[in-house]
PDB file of all heavy atoms in Angstrom:
ATOM      1  N   ALA A   1     -58.417 177.497-151.470  1.00 95.00           N
ATOM      2  CA  ALA A   1     -57.739 176.711-152.501  1.00 95.00           C
ATOM      3  C   ALA A   1     -56.944 177.635-153.416  1.00 95.00           C
ATOM      4  O   ALA A   1     -57.425 178.684-153.825  1.00 95.00           O
ATOM      5  CB  ALA A   1     -58.764 175.918-153.308  1.00 95.00           C
ATOM      6  N   GLY A   2     -55.699 177.246-153.686  1.00 96.00           N
ATOM      7  CA  GLY A   2     -54.830 178.026-154.554  1.00 96.00           C
ATOM      8  C   GLY A   2     -53.880 178.942-153.816  1.00 96.00           C
ATOM      9  O   GLY A   2     -52.926 179.460-154.401  1.00 96.00           O
ATOM     10  N   THR A   3     -54.112 179.162-152.507  1.00 97.00           N
ATOM     11  CA  THR A   3     -53.262 180.049-151.724  1.00 97.00           C
ATOM     12  C   THR A   3     -51.937 179.373-151.412  1.00 97.00           C
ATOM     13  O   THR A   3     -51.876 178.188-151.091  1.00 97.00           O
ATOM     14  CB  THR A   3     -53.956 180.430-150.405  1.00 97.00           C
ATOM     15  OG1 THR A   3     -55.256 180.954-150.680  1.00 97.00           O
ATOM     16  CG2 THR A   3     -53.147 181.465-149.637  1.00 97.00           C
ATOM     17  N   CYS A   4     -50.853 180.147-151.467  1.00 97.00           N
ATOM     18  CA  CYS A   4     -49.505 179.649-151.173  1.00 97.00           C
ATOM     19  C   CYS A   4     -48.945 180.455-149.990  1.00 97.00           C
ATOM     20  O   CYS A   4     -48.804 181.675-150.085  1.00 97.00           O
ATOM     21  CB  CYS A   4     -48.612 179.809-152.398  1.00 97.00           C
ATOM     22  SG  CYS A   4     -47.039 178.957-152.282  1.00 97.00           S
ATOM     23  N   VAL A   5     -48.674 179.777-148.851  1.00 97.00           N
ATOM     24  CA  VAL A   5     -48.270 180.479-147.631  1.00 97.00           C
ATOM     25  C   VAL A   5     -47.132 179.763-146.924  1.00 97.00           C
ATOM     26  O   VAL A   5     -46.942 178.557-147.073  1.00 97.00           O
ATOM     27  CB  VAL A   5     -49.448 180.615-146.634  1.00 97.00           C
ATOM     28  CG1 VAL A   5     -50.573 181.446-147.201  1.00 97.00           C
ATOM     29  CG2 VAL A   5     -49.961 179.248-146.219  1.00 97.00           C
ATOM     30  N   ARG A   6     -46.420 180.529-146.122  1.00 96.00           N
ATOM     31  CA  ARG A   6     -45.405 179.948-145.235  1.00 96.00           C
ATOM     32  C   ARG A   6     -46.091 179.157-144.137  1.00 96.00           C
ATOM     33  O   ARG A   6     -47.089 179.589-143.568  1.00 96.00           O
ATOM     34  CB  ARG A   6     -44.584 181.067-144.597  1.00 96.00           C
ATOM     35  CG  ARG A   6     -43.742 180.557-143.411  1.00 96.00           C
ATOM     36  CD  ARG A   6     -43.008 181.645-142.698  1.00 96.00           C
ATOM     37  NE  ARG A   6     -43.860 182.557-141.963  1.00 96.00           N
ATOM     38  CZ  ARG A   6     -43.497 183.151-140.831  1.00 96.00           C
ATOM     39  NH1 ARG A   6     -42.305 182.918-140.311  1.00 96.00           N
ATOM     40  NH2 ARG A   6     -44.298 183.991-140.222  1.00 96.00           N
ATOM     41  N   TRP A   7     -45.524 177.990-143.815  1.00 95.00           N
ATOM     42  CA  TRP A   7     -46.006 177.242-142.666  1.00 95.00           C
ATOM     43  C   TRP A   7     -44.991 177.277-141.525  1.00 95.00           C
ATOM     44  O   TRP A   7     -45.319 177.590-140.397  1.00 95.00           O
ATOM     45  CB  TRP A   7     -46.321 175.791-143.030  1.00 95.00           C
ATOM     46  CG  TRP A   7     -46.823 175.016-141.840  1.00 95.00           C
ATOM     47  CD1 TRP A   7     -47.495 175.511-140.752  1.00 95.00           C
ATOM     48  CD2 TRP A   7     -46.686 173.628-141.609  1.00 95.00           C
ATOM     49  NE1 TRP A   7     -47.803 174.500-139.861  1.00 95.00           N
ATOM     50  CE2 TRP A   7     -47.314 173.322-140.372  1.00 95.00           C
ATOM     51  CE3 TRP A   7     -46.114 172.583-142.333  1.00 95.00           C
ATOM     52  CZ2 TRP A   7     -47.362 172.043-139.847  1.00 95.00           C
ATOM     53  CZ3 TRP A   7     -46.178 171.310-141.806  1.00 95.00           C
ATOM     54  CH2 TRP A   7     -46.794 171.043-140.574  1.00 95.00           C
ATOM     55  N   ALA A   8     -43.720 176.981-141.817  1.00 97.00           N
ATOM     56  CA  ALA A   8     -42.718 176.903-140.757  1.00 97.00           C
ATOM     57  C   ALA A   8     -41.431 177.564-141.221  1.00 97.00           C
ATOM     58  O   ALA A   8     -41.088 177.547-142.391  1.00 97.00           O
ATOM     59  CB  ALA A   8     -42.453 175.448-140.380  1.00 97.00           C
ATOM     60  N   GLY A   9     -40.725 178.131-140.252  1.00 97.00           N
ATOM     61  CA  GLY A   9     -39.449 178.767-140.540  1.00 97.00           C
ATOM     62  C   GLY A   9     -39.544 180.282-140.462  1.00 97.00           C
ATOM     63  O   GLY A   9     -40.425 180.891-141.072  1.00 97.00           O
ATOM     64  N   SER A  10     -38.628 180.886-139.710  1.00 97.00           N
ATOM     65  CA  SER A  10     -38.620 182.335-139.552  1.00 97.00           C
ATOM     66  C   SER A  10     -38.069 183.057-140.771  1.00 97.00           C
ATOM     67  O   SER A  10     -38.315 184.245-140.962  1.00 97.00           O
ATOM     68  CB  SER A  10     -37.764 182.705-138.333  1.00 97.00           C
ATOM     69  OG  SER A  10     -36.399 182.379-138.571  1.00 97.00           O
ATOM     70  N   GLY A  11     -37.308 182.340-141.593  1.00 97.00           N
ATOM     71  CA  GLY A  11     -36.621 182.954-142.725  1.00 97.00           C
ATOM     72  C   GLY A  11     -35.151 183.170-142.458  1.00 97.00           C
ATOM     73  O   GLY A  11     -34.386 183.443-143.382  1.00 97.00           O
ATOM     74  N   SER A  12     -34.736 183.033-141.202  1.00 96.00           N
ATOM     75  CA  SER A  12     -33.319 183.103-140.858  1.00 96.00           C
ATOM     76  C   SER A  12     -32.673 181.750-141.141  1.00 96.00           C
ATOM     77  O   SER A  12     -33.284 180.704-140.897  1.00 96.00           O
ATOM     78  CB  SER A  12     -33.128 183.450-139.380  1.00 96.00           C
ATOM     79  OG  SER A  12     -33.646 184.729-139.098  1.00 96.00           O
ATOM     80  N   GLU A  13     -31.441 181.761-141.629  1.00 96.00           N
ATOM     81  CA  GLU A  13     -30.743 180.510-141.929  1.00 96.00           C
ATOM     82  C   GLU A  13     -30.015 180.022-140.685  1.00 96.00           C
ATOM     83  O   GLU A  13     -28.922 180.468-140.364  1.00 96.00           O
ATOM     84  CB  GLU A  13     -29.743 180.709-143.071  1.00 96.00           C
ATOM     85  CG  GLU A  13     -29.061 179.412-143.487  1.00 96.00           C
ATOM     86  CD  GLU A  13     -28.119 179.583-144.655  1.00 96.00           C
ATOM     87  OE1 GLU A  13     -27.878 180.736-145.063  1.00 96.00           O
ATOM     88  OE2 GLU A  13     -27.632 178.573-145.160  1.00 96.00           O
ATOM     89  N   GLU A  14     -30.657 179.085-139.971  1.00 93.00           N
ATOM     90  CA  GLU A  14     -30.049 178.510-138.776  1.00 93.00           C
ATOM     91  C   GLU A  14     -30.782 177.241-138.384  1.00 93.00           C
ATOM     92  O   GLU A  14     -31.871 176.956-138.896  1.00 93.00           O
ATOM     93  CB  GLU A  14     -30.065 179.510-137.616  1.00 93.00           C
ATOM     94  CG  GLU A  14     -31.440 180.020-137.246  1.00 93.00           C
ATOM     95  CD  GLU A  14     -31.411 181.108-136.166  1.00 93.00           C
ATOM     96  OE1 GLU A  14     -30.392 181.216-135.462  1.00 93.00           O
ATOM     97  OE2 GLU A  14     -32.402 181.828-136.024  1.00 93.00           O
ATOM     98  N   ASN A  15     -30.194 176.486-137.485  1.00 93.00           N
ATOM     99  CA  ASN A  15     -30.781 175.252-136.974  1.00 93.00           C
ATOM    100  C   ASN A  15     -31.419 175.569-135.623  1.00 93.00           C
ATOM    101  O   ASN A  15     -30.760 175.531-134.599  1.00 93.00           O
ATOM    102  CB  ASN A  15     -29.676 174.188-136.839  1.00 93.00           C
ATOM    103  CG  ASN A  15     -30.210 172.857-136.340  1.00 93.00           C
ATOM    104  OD1 ASN A  15     -31.375 172.725-135.994  1.00 93.00           O
ATOM    105  ND2 ASN A  15     -29.345 171.863-136.303  1.00 93.00           N
ATOM    106  N   ARG A  16     -32.706 175.927-135.642  1.00 94.00           N
ATOM    107  CA  ARG A  16     -33.397 176.317-134.409  1.00 94.00           C
ATOM    108  C   ARG A  16     -34.741 175.607-134.345  1.00 94.00           C
ATOM    109  O   ARG A  16     -35.618 175.811-135.185  1.00 94.00           O
ATOM    110  CB  ARG A  16     -33.601 177.827-134.357  1.00 94.00           C
ATOM    111  CG  ARG A  16     -34.268 178.318-133.073  1.00 94.00           C
ATOM    112  CD  ARG A  16     -34.487 179.822-133.093  1.00 94.00           C
ATOM    113  NE  ARG A  16     -33.232 180.537-133.180  1.00 94.00           N
ATOM    114  CZ  ARG A  16     -32.462 180.844-132.126  1.00 94.00           C
ATOM    115  NH1 ARG A  16     -32.830 180.469-130.921  1.00 94.00           N
ATOM    116  NH2 ARG A  16     -31.343 181.513-132.297  1.00 94.00           N
ATOM    117  N   ASN A  17     -34.903 174.774-133.323  1.00 95.00           N
ATOM    118  CA  ASN A  17     -36.164 174.071-133.111  1.00 95.00           C
ATOM    119  C   ASN A  17     -37.068 174.897-132.214  1.00 95.00           C
ATOM    120  O   ASN A  17     -36.596 175.678-131.392  1.00 95.00           O
ATOM    121  CB  ASN A  17     -35.900 172.702-132.477  1.00 95.00           C
ATOM    122  CG  ASN A  17     -35.021 171.841-133.357  1.00 95.00           C
ATOM    123  OD1 ASN A  17     -35.280 171.711-134.545  1.00 95.00           O
ATOM    124  ND2 ASN A  17     -33.984 171.259-132.785  1.00 95.00           N
ATOM    125  N   ASN A  18     -38.385 174.707-132.391  1.00 96.00           N
ATOM    126  CA  ASN A  18     -39.332 175.457-131.581  1.00 96.00           C
ATOM    127  C   ASN A  18     -40.692 174.788-131.676  1.00 96.00           C
ATOM    128  O   ASN A  18     -41.018 174.177-132.700  1.00 96.00           O
ATOM    129  CB  ASN A  18     -39.428 176.905-132.073  1.00 96.00           C
ATOM    130  CG  ASN A  18     -39.944 177.850-131.005  1.00 96.00           C
ATOM    131  OD1 ASN A  18     -41.104 177.796-130.603  1.00 96.00           O
ATOM    132  ND2 ASN A  18     -39.065 178.730-130.536  1.00 96.00           N
ATOM    133  N   THR A  19     -41.485 174.901-130.623  1.00 95.00           N
ATOM    134  CA  THR A  19     -42.838 174.346-130.660  1.00 95.00           C
ATOM    135  C   THR A  19     -43.760 175.192-131.534  1.00 95.00           C
ATOM    136  O   THR A  19     -44.824 174.721-131.932  1.00 95.00           O
ATOM    137  CB  THR A  19     -43.428 174.235-129.248  1.00 95.00           C
ATOM    138  OG1 THR A  19     -43.371 175.517-128.621  1.00 95.00           O
ATOM    139  CG2 THR A  19     -42.649 173.227-128.414  1.00 95.00           C
ATOM    140  N   TYR A  20     -43.365 176.438-131.806  1.00 96.00           N
ATOM    141  CA  TYR A  20     -44.130 177.295-132.705  1.00 96.00           C
ATOM    142  C   TYR A  20     -43.449 177.304-134.073  1.00 96.00           C
ATOM    143  O   TYR A  20     -42.286 177.705-134.171  1.00 96.00           O
ATOM    144  CB  TYR A  20     -44.234 178.716-132.147  1.00 96.00           C
ATOM    145  CG  TYR A  20     -45.104 178.800-130.928  1.00 96.00           C
ATOM    146  CD1 TYR A  20     -44.569 178.628-129.655  1.00 96.00           C
ATOM    147  CD2 TYR A  20     -46.468 179.031-131.044  1.00 96.00           C
ATOM    148  CE1 TYR A  20     -45.373 178.682-128.532  1.00 96.00           C
ATOM    149  CE2 TYR A  20     -47.278 179.102-129.923  1.00 96.00           C
ATOM    150  CZ  TYR A  20     -46.728 178.924-128.672  1.00 96.00           C
ATOM    151  OH  TYR A  20     -47.537 178.980-127.566  1.00 96.00           O
ATOM    152  N   PRO A  21     -44.140 176.877-135.123  1.00 96.00           N
ATOM    153  CA  PRO A  21     -43.479 176.709-136.424  1.00 96.00           C
ATOM    154  C   PRO A  21     -42.860 177.981-136.984  1.00 96.00           C
ATOM    155  O   PRO A  21     -41.806 177.920-137.629  1.00 96.00           O
ATOM    156  CB  PRO A  21     -44.601 176.175-137.330  1.00 96.00           C
ATOM    157  CG  PRO A  21     -45.878 176.525-136.640  1.00 96.00           C
ATOM    158  CD  PRO A  21     -45.574 176.532-135.180  1.00 96.00           C
ATOM    159  N   HIS A  22     -43.470 179.154-136.765  1.00 96.00           N
ATOM    160  CA  HIS A  22     -42.917 180.394-137.313  1.00 96.00           C
ATOM    161  C   HIS A  22     -41.661 180.852-136.582  1.00 96.00           C
ATOM    162  O   HIS A  22     -40.904 181.671-137.108  1.00 96.00           O
ATOM    163  CB  HIS A  22     -43.966 181.510-137.274  1.00 96.00           C
ATOM    164  CG  HIS A  22     -45.041 181.339-138.287  1.00 96.00           C
ATOM    165  ND1 HIS A  22     -46.047 182.249-138.458  1.00 96.00           N
ATOM    166  CD2 HIS A  22     -45.279 180.363-139.204  1.00 96.00           C
ATOM    167  CE1 HIS A  22     -46.863 181.851-139.430  1.00 96.00           C
ATOM    168  NE2 HIS A  22     -46.411 180.697-139.879  1.00 96.00           N
ATOM    169  N   LYS A  23     -41.423 180.326-135.381  1.00 96.00           N
ATOM    170  CA  LYS A  23     -40.238 180.714-134.620  1.00 96.00           C
ATOM    171  C   LYS A  23     -39.068 179.760-134.820  1.00 96.00           C
ATOM    172  O   LYS A  23     -37.946 180.055-134.418  1.00 96.00           O
ATOM    173  CB  LYS A  23     -40.580 180.814-133.129  1.00 96.00           C
ATOM    174  CG  LYS A  23     -41.530 181.956-132.821  1.00 96.00           C
ATOM    175  CD  LYS A  23     -41.778 182.087-131.330  1.00 96.00           C
ATOM    176  CE  LYS A  23     -42.703 183.263-131.047  1.00 96.00           C
ATOM    177  NZ  LYS A  23     -42.954 183.416-129.589  1.00 96.00           N
ATOM    178  N   ALA A  24     -39.328 178.622-135.439  1.00 97.00           N
ATOM    179  CA  ALA A  24     -38.245 177.693-135.773  1.00 97.00           C
ATOM    180  C   ALA A  24     -37.476 178.238-136.972  1.00 97.00           C
ATOM    181  O   ALA A  24     -37.958 179.123-137.682  1.00 97.00           O
ATOM    182  CB  ALA A  24     -38.821 176.320-136.093  1.00 97.00           C
ATOM    183  N   SER A  25     -36.275 177.712-137.192  1.00 97.00           N
ATOM    184  CA  SER A  25     -35.475 178.136-138.338  1.00 97.00           C
ATOM    185  C   SER A  25     -34.841 176.926-139.001  1.00 97.00           C
ATOM    186  O   SER A  25     -34.446 175.972-138.325  1.00 97.00           O
ATOM    187  CB  SER A  25     -34.376 179.110-137.910  1.00 97.00           C
ATOM    188  OG  SER A  25     -34.927 180.276-137.352  1.00 97.00           O
ATOM    189  N   PHE A  26     -34.738 176.987-140.314  1.00 97.00           N
ATOM    190  CA  PHE A  26     -34.101 175.942-141.110  1.00 97.00           C
ATOM    191  C   PHE A  26     -32.897 176.540-141.826  1.00 97.00           C
ATOM    192  O   PHE A  26     -32.698 177.750-141.844  1.00 97.00           O
ATOM    193  CB  PHE A  26     -35.089 175.371-142.125  1.00 97.00           C
ATOM    194  CG  PHE A  26     -36.279 174.682-141.514  1.00 97.00           C
ATOM    195  CD1 PHE A  26     -37.441 175.382-141.229  1.00 97.00           C
ATOM    196  CD2 PHE A  26     -36.242 173.332-141.208  1.00 97.00           C
ATOM    197  CE1 PHE A  26     -38.545 174.763-140.663  1.00 97.00           C
ATOM    198  CE2 PHE A  26     -37.332 172.693-140.635  1.00 97.00           C
ATOM    199  CZ  PHE A  26     -38.484 173.411-140.371  1.00 97.00           C
ATOM    200  N   ALA A  27     -32.099 175.659-142.435  1.00 97.00           N
ATOM    201  CA  ALA A  27     -30.941 176.089-143.207  1.00 97.00           C
ATOM    202  C   ALA A  27     -30.963 175.333-144.537  1.00 97.00           C
ATOM    203  O   ALA A  27     -30.450 174.227-144.646  1.00 97.00           O
ATOM    204  CB  ALA A  27     -29.646 175.841-142.444  1.00 97.00           C
ATOM    205  N   GLN A  28     -31.613 175.922-145.508  1.00 97.00           N
ATOM    206  CA  GLN A  28     -31.792 175.335-146.841  1.00 97.00           C
ATOM    207  C   GLN A  28     -32.457 173.956-146.797  1.00 97.00           C
ATOM    208  O   GLN A  28     -31.848 172.942-147.156  1.00 97.00           O
ATOM    209  CB  GLN A  28     -30.467 175.273-147.592  1.00 97.00           C
ATOM    210  CG  GLN A  28     -29.904 176.631-147.929  1.00 97.00           C
ATOM    211  CD  GLN A  28     -28.657 176.565-148.776  1.00 97.00           C
ATOM    212  OE1 GLN A  28     -28.400 175.591-149.472  1.00 97.00           O
ATOM    213  NE2 GLN A  28     -27.877 177.619-148.728  1.00 97.00           N
ATOM    214  N   PRO A  29     -33.703 173.873-146.336  1.00 98.00           N
ATOM    215  CA  PRO A  29     -34.407 172.591-146.381  1.00 98.00           C
ATOM    216  C   PRO A  29     -34.512 172.114-147.823  1.00 98.00           C
ATOM    217  O   PRO A  29     -34.946 172.861-148.697  1.00 98.00           O
ATOM    218  CB  PRO A  29     -35.779 172.910-145.779  1.00 98.00           C
ATOM    219  CG  PRO A  29     -35.948 174.384-145.968  1.00 98.00           C
ATOM    220  CD  PRO A  29     -34.580 174.972-145.873  1.00 98.00           C
ATOM    221  N   SER A  30     -34.105 170.867-148.056  1.00 97.00           N
ATOM    222  CA  SER A  30     -33.968 170.391-149.433  1.00 97.00           C
ATOM    223  C   SER A  30     -34.770 169.144-149.753  1.00 97.00           C
ATOM    224  O   SER A  30     -34.967 168.836-150.919  1.00 97.00           O
ATOM    225  CB  SER A  30     -32.489 170.123-149.730  1.00 97.00           C
ATOM    226  OG  SER A  30     -31.725 171.292-149.570  1.00 97.00           O
ATOM    227  N   GLY A  31     -35.208 168.397-148.758  1.00 97.00           N
ATOM    228  CA  GLY A  31     -35.964 167.178-149.017  1.00 97.00           C
ATOM    229  C   GLY A  31     -37.081 167.009-148.023  1.00 97.00           C
ATOM    230  O   GLY A  31     -36.939 167.368-146.852  1.00 97.00           O
ATOM    231  N   LEU A  32     -38.209 166.464-148.478  1.00 98.00           N
ATOM    232  CA  LEU A  32     -39.370 166.228-147.631  1.00 98.00           C
ATOM    233  C   LEU A  32     -39.853 164.792-147.770  1.00 98.00           C
ATOM    234  O   LEU A  32     -39.823 164.233-148.867  1.00 98.00           O
ATOM    235  CB  LEU A  32     -40.520 167.160-148.022  1.00 98.00           C
ATOM    236  CG  LEU A  32     -40.311 168.663-147.906  1.00 98.00           C
ATOM    237  CD1 LEU A  32     -41.524 169.397-148.474  1.00 98.00           C
ATOM    238  CD2 LEU A  32     -40.042 169.075-146.470  1.00 98.00           C
ATOM    239  N   ALA A  33     -40.305 164.223-146.667  1.00 97.00           N
ATOM    240  CA  ALA A  33     -40.967 162.914-146.687  1.00 97.00           C
ATOM    241  C   ALA A  33     -42.100 162.961-145.687  1.00 97.00           C
ATOM    242  O   ALA A  33     -41.909 163.374-144.531  1.00 97.00           O
ATOM    243  CB  ALA A  33     -39.990 161.799-146.337  1.00 97.00           C
ATOM    244  N   LEU A  34     -43.275 162.553-146.114  1.00 95.00           N
ATOM    245  CA  LEU A  34     -44.458 162.598-145.261  1.00 95.00           C
ATOM    246  C   LEU A  34     -44.656 161.278-144.543  1.00 95.00           C
ATOM    247  O   LEU A  34     -44.656 160.213-145.164  1.00 95.00           O
ATOM    248  CB  LEU A  34     -45.691 162.917-146.108  1.00 95.00           C
ATOM    249  CG  LEU A  34     -47.019 162.988-145.360  1.00 95.00           C
ATOM    250  CD1 LEU A  34     -47.035 164.189-144.422  1.00 95.00           C
ATOM    251  CD2 LEU A  34     -48.176 163.073-146.344  1.00 95.00           C
ATOM    252  N   ALA A  35     -44.834 161.341-143.214  1.00 94.00           N
ATOM    253  CA  ALA A  35     -45.235 160.189-142.405  1.00 94.00           C
ATOM    254  C   ALA A  35     -46.517 160.600-141.698  1.00 94.00           C
ATOM    255  O   ALA A  35     -46.495 161.031-140.540  1.00 94.00           O
ATOM    256  CB  ALA A  35     -44.142 159.817-141.415  1.00 94.00           C
ATOM    257  N   ALA A  36     -47.629 160.517-142.402  1.00 91.00           N
ATOM    258  CA  ALA A  36     -48.899 161.045-141.900  1.00 91.00           C
ATOM    259  C   ALA A  36     -49.501 160.193-140.796  1.00 91.00           C
ATOM    260  O   ALA A  36     -50.286 160.682-139.989  1.00 91.00           O
ATOM    261  CB  ALA A  36     -49.890 161.176-143.052  1.00 91.00           C
ATOM    262  N   GLU A  37     -49.137 158.920-140.741  1.00 88.00           N
ATOM    263  CA  GLU A  37     -49.753 157.997-139.797  1.00 88.00           C
ATOM    264  C   GLU A  37     -49.182 158.177-138.391  1.00 88.00           C
ATOM    265  O   GLU A  37     -48.077 158.666-138.209  1.00 88.00           O
ATOM    266  CB  GLU A  37     -49.552 156.545-140.268  1.00 88.00           C
ATOM    267  CG  GLU A  37     -48.109 156.079-140.308  1.00 88.00           C
ATOM    268  CD  GLU A  37     -47.346 156.502-141.563  1.00 88.00           C
ATOM    269  OE1 GLU A  37     -47.902 157.228-142.409  1.00 88.00           O
ATOM    270  OE2 GLU A  37     -46.171 156.113-141.672  1.00 88.00           O
ATOM    271  N   GLU A  38     -49.999 157.761-137.396  1.00 88.00           N
ATOM    272  CA  GLU A  38     -49.539 157.752-136.012  1.00 88.00           C
ATOM    273  C   GLU A  38     -48.561 156.587-135.819  1.00 88.00           C
ATOM    274  O   GLU A  38     -48.667 155.584-136.512  1.00 88.00           O
ATOM    275  CB  GLU A  38     -50.739 157.590-135.059  1.00 88.00           C
ATOM    276  CG  GLU A  38     -51.696 158.767-135.072  1.00 88.00           C
ATOM    277  CD  GLU A  38     -51.115 160.030-134.455  1.00 88.00           C
ATOM    278  OE1 GLU A  38     -50.056 159.930-133.797  1.00 88.00           O
ATOM    279  OE2 GLU A  38     -51.710 161.097-134.631  1.00 88.00           O
ATOM    280  N   PRO A  39     -47.583 156.688-134.934  1.00 89.00           N
ATOM    281  CA  PRO A  39     -47.390 157.779-133.979  1.00 89.00           C
ATOM    282  C   PRO A  39     -46.547 158.933-134.527  1.00 89.00           C
ATOM    283  O   PRO A  39     -46.253 159.870-133.797  1.00 89.00           O
ATOM    284  CB  PRO A  39     -46.647 157.090-132.828  1.00 89.00           C
ATOM    285  CG  PRO A  39     -45.807 156.068-133.523  1.00 89.00           C
ATOM    286  CD  PRO A  39     -46.646 155.582-134.681  1.00 89.00           C
TER     287      PRO A  39
END
């Protein structure tokens, strides 16, 4: 509790999808919306 860590994104600014979150890349992610329910 209290720890702040990276979850997804390599840190490079690009549009790169990947099944591994650390290997994916974003370009200034600015908005989030949670859809926790299935599917």
Side-chain angles (χ1 to χ4, degrees):
T3 307
C4 191
V5 297
R6 166 184 69 147
W7 180 28
S10 66
S12 297
E13 184 177 7
E14 57 185 341
N15 181 355
R16 182 182 298 275
N17 300 311
N18 202 292
T19 55
Y20 290 90
H22 287 183
K23 293 184 178 180
S25 298
F26 297 90
Q28 294 185 23
S30 300
L32 299 174
L34 180 68
E37 64 278 4
E38 294 291 347

